[in-house]
Amino acid sequence: MATERLVVIGGDAAGMSAASQARRLKGRDALEIVAFERGHFTSYSACGIPYWVGGDVEERDDLIARTPEEHRERDIDLRMRTEVSELDVAGQRVKALDRESGKTYWTGFDKLVIATGARPVRPALPGMDAAGVHGVQTLDDGQALLDSLDALRSGEGPRRAVVVGAGYIGVEMAEAMLKRGFEVTVLNRGEQPMATLDADMGRLVHDAMDGLGITTVNGAAVTKILTGRDGRVTEVVTEAGTYPADVVVLGIGVEPETALARAAGLPVGPHRGLLTDLSMRVVGHENIWAGGDCVEVLDLVAGRTRHIALGTHANKHGQVIGSNVGGGYGTFPGVVGTAVSKVCDLEIARTGLREKDARAVGLRYVTATIESTGRAGYYP
C-alpha cells in the first residue's frame, strides 16, 4: 500500500498536470493518486473549442492532449464520469457519484487538489435553459452544440445564430457560426466588444466584425429568450429589440466552479474563486491545493486578485501544485493579464491594465497610439 493518497477533483489542465507532476516525483509505492472527472474527456484545450466548431480544427480529438488511458498507464487511478458531490474537510474524504451507475461512495485523502474549473455564466432569465441555448466551456458542451447545428442543417429557410456576449468566447464563436453558414447577430450589453480592452480598441474589433458580415448590437442586455411549441429557442429579447434565433450561444463569460469548495467552508475571494498562497495551497489548509479556473490569482500590476480563466495559467498551477505535493518546491507569483485572440485576420492581444483598471487602483497613466508593422518588411 502507498504511504499517502492524493485525490484530485477535476481531470483537465490543472488537475491532471498536478497529478502527472506529482507522479513524476513520487512512485506508486509512495503516493497513490485518485482523480475524479465528471465529463467524458481529460486534458483538453477548451480554448480551441470555437475553432473546432468553426471547422478550423477538424477532429475533436485534436484538442485532447492526453486520454484517460494514457493517464492510467502512468499509475493514476482516473475515474471518468464520476462527480465529487461533497467534500468533508475535517474527515479528509470526498463523496463521489458514479454518473453511469448511480453509485455513491466515500474516498479518503491525505492530500487534495481542487481543479473544478469554471462554468459559463447563464443568467437566471426566462428561457435560458431552453433547447438550442448553449454554453461553451467543455468538450461535452462543444459536442452538444455541434449536434444541435447538425439537426438544423436539414431545415429550410435562413439559419440564424445569436451570440450573447462579446468577450473572447463570444467573438470567436460568432466567427465560428459564420463559417458554419449562419446569419450571426452578437448581442453585447457593453459599449463595444471585448470589454477586456479599452473602448477605442474595442471599436477596432467591432469594425472587423462588421467587415465579416456579423451584426453587432451594443447596449443590448438580454431580458428573456422565447421558445416555440417544441420548447426550442425562436427569439432573443433585449431592451433594444427582439432578434430571431435558431440557435443561441452564450459568450457572456465564465465564473469559478467553487460551489463544492464553498459548501465545505473553504475561503473564496471577491470573484468567488478559491484563495491560495504562492504555492497554490488553499489559504488556511495545509493539505489542500487548488488551481486552474476555480481560483483567483494575484494581478502583479494592480496588486489585487483577479479571476482569469486561461489554460496556460491552469497548466502552470498544476505544475506548481504537483511539485509541492510530490515533495519539491514551486510557486506561482501571479499574472499580468495577458491574452490573445483574433477575428479572422485581425489579431488581438492585451496585457497589463485598462485605463479604468488603473483608475480603480489609483494609478496615474498616459495613453499613446502607435502605428507600426506587424512583421519584418521582407516577410510576405
Side-chain angles (χ1 to χ4, degrees):
M1 297 291 291
T3 56
E4 287 187 315
R5 177 186 289 155
L6 167 66
V7 166
V8 178
I9 307 175
D12 199 8
M16 299 319 295
S17 291
S20 298
Q21 178 67 0
R23 174 54 76 225
R24 292 186 192 101
L25 297 176
K26 282 191 173 182
R28 62 181 180 180
D29 292 336
L31 182 67
E32 177 189 2
I33 303 177
V34 179
F36 296 101
E37 167 55 42
R38 66 184 177 184
H40 292 88
F41 309 98
T42 60
S43 300
Y44 59 87
S45 172
C47 299
I49 292 175
Y51 305 106
W52 168 39
V53 172
D56 298 296
V57 176
E58 292 186 6
E59 300 292 337
R60 177 188 65 201
D61 290 355
D62 292 337
L63 299 179
I64 299 174
R66 190 166 291 173
T67 65
E69 292 74 20
E70 290 173 313
H71 285 300
R72 291 170 185 142
E73 289 171 359
R74 291 164 173 79
D75 293 318
I76 296 172
D77 180 3
L78 176 55
R79 304 177 188 180
M80 301 298 295
R81 298 289 292 154
T82 305
E83 181 174 6
V84 173
S85 58
E86 188 175 342
L87 169 57
D88 178 3
V89 173
Q92 293 196 188
R93 59 179 188 161
V94 299
K95 187 178 183 180
L97 166 65
D98 185 321
R99 300 178 79 173
E100 300 292 346
S101 67
K103 176 185 176 183
T104 61
Y105 57 93
W106 289 93
T107 300
F109 64 83
D110 298 291
K111 297 178 179 179
L112 176 68
V113 175
I114 301 173
T116 44
R119 63 173 179 267
V121 174
R122 191 179 285 261
L125 297 174
M128 273 292 172
D129 294 323
V133 180
H134 297 270
V136 185
Q137 177 66 14
T138 67
L139 286 188
D140 290 297
D141 295 335
Q143 188 62 63
L145 173 58
L146 285 173
D147 292 343
S148 187
L149 301 184
D150 287 341
L152 292 170
R153 183 176 298 172
S154 58
E156 297 180 358
R159 297 193 299 166
R160 298 157 300 195
V162 170
V163 178
V164 180
Y168 293 103
I169 295 298
V171 170
E172 291 166 1
M173 287 306 306
E175 183 181 344
M177 300 305 290
L178 193 70
K179 290 182 176 180
R180 285 276 173 180
F182 281 74
E183 297 176 9
V184 182
T185 300
V186 176
L187 303 178
N188 174 38
R189 68 179 181 180
E191 60 178 304
Q192 294 293 347
M194 291 282 194
T196 54
L197 307 174
D198 283 309
D200 56 340
M201 304 298 285
R203 280 193 292 273
L204 299 178
V205 178
H206 191 165
D207 292 343
M209 294 169 71
D210 283 347
L212 292 174
I214 297 170
T215 300
T216 305
V217 185
N218 294 317
V222 173
T223 57
K224 61 182 174 180
I225 291 176
L226 302 180
T227 60
R229 291 183 178 179
D230 59 356
R232 187 174 180 87
V233 59
T234 57
E235 293 178 304
V236 180
V237 181
T238 75
E239 297 169 349
T242 301
Y243 302 88
D246 299 301
V247 64
V248 174
V249 180
L250 302 179
I252 308 172
V254 298
E255 57 189 9
E257 180 63 274
T258 53
L260 179 71
R262 285 185 281 113
L266 298 181
V268 298
H271 307 286
R272 298 172 69 85
L274 281 162
L275 295 177
T276 66
D277 60 19
L278 292 178
S279 70
M280 302 307 298
R281 184 181 274 108
V282 173
V283 172
H285 296 270
E286 184 68 20
N287 293 320
I288 303 177
W289 288 260
D293 295 352
C294 66
V295 305
E296 295 187 17
V297 292
L298 176 64
D299 185 315
L300 295 170
V301 187
R304 297 178 176 180
T305 61
R306 296 176 59 186
H307 177 243
I308 302 179
L310 282 178
T312 49
H313 295 163
N315 278 301
K316 292 175 184 177
H317 296 168
Q319 292 290 324
V320 169
I321 292 169
S323 295
N324 292 320
V325 169
Y329 176 73
T331 61
F332 185 84
V335 301
V336 293
T338 303
V340 179
S341 186
K342 73 177 185 70
V343 182
C344 277
D345 293 333
L346 178 67
E347 298 168 351
I348 306 160
R350 56 97 65 205
T351 195
L353 304 182
R354 297 167 295 179
E355 293 175 29
K356 69 177 184 179
D357 298 328
R359 288 193 295 269
V361 296
L363 294 174
R364 291 184 296 172
Y365 61 89
V366 296
T367 64
T369 300
I370 302 167
E371 296 188 9
S372 184
T373 56
R375 56 179 61 87
Y378 58 80
Y379 193 84

